[in-house]
Amino acid sequence: MIKLDDEWLAGVGLASLPSNRKNEFLRHTYETLEMRVGLTLAKQMSDELLDEFESFINAKDEAGALHFLETNFPDYKQVVDQAFAELGDEIREVAPQILAAG
């Protein structure tokens, strides 16, 4: 399960990130993860599937989008887990620069 919180920040080397930046950074991380997963899955979709999935996204129907993914991409959770791990590794590598930026 994906959990973006203070514990995760500590795990990637950002425990000392100023509190006023933590929520902003977590939000940005979530959006980046969402985009990466979406791009990975979109590459596997036909135009028809892509249109169907976009209709759920445009309608802000999270339950419908989740059901669509579970039905059409039973391995989507592994895609999410892999993208999350890769993103964490990337952030861990640049954590000193992120902290130095204040």
Side-chain angles (χ1 to χ4, degrees), residues 13-67:
L14 296 176
S16 63
L17 193 67
S19 58
N20 63 334
R21 292 200 47 222
K22 283 183 179 181
N23 285 337
E24 176 186 330
F25 189 82
L26 291 172
R27 184 174 35 258
H28 175 71
T29 301
Y30 182 82
E31 291 169 357
T32 301
L33 178 63
E34 237 180 12
M35 183 176 55
R36 289 183 181 191
V37 170
L39 289 172
T40 299
L41 294 176
K43 290 177 186 176
Q44 302 173 35
M45 292 183 198
S46 65
D47 289 343
E48 294 80 19
L49 284 177
L50 192 54
D51 289 343
E52 184 179 348
F53 185 63
E54 284 179 348
S55 70
F56 291 113
I57 300 303
N58 292 338
K60 299 186 189 313
D61 181 358
E62 290 183 29
L66 180 61
H67 178 71

Side-chain angles (χ1 to χ4, degrees), residues 69-101:
L69 291 174
E70 289 172 340
T71 302
N72 293 286
F73 297 92
D75 68 334
Y76 90 94
K77 288 183 182 180
Q78 288 83 7
V79 172
V80 171
D81 289 343
Q82 181 178 348
F84 187 55
E86 290 171 359
L87 185 57
D89 290 343
E90 291 170 21
I91 292 169
R92 202 171 288 108
E93 287 181 23
V94 297
Q97 292 93 329
I98 293 170
L99 293 173

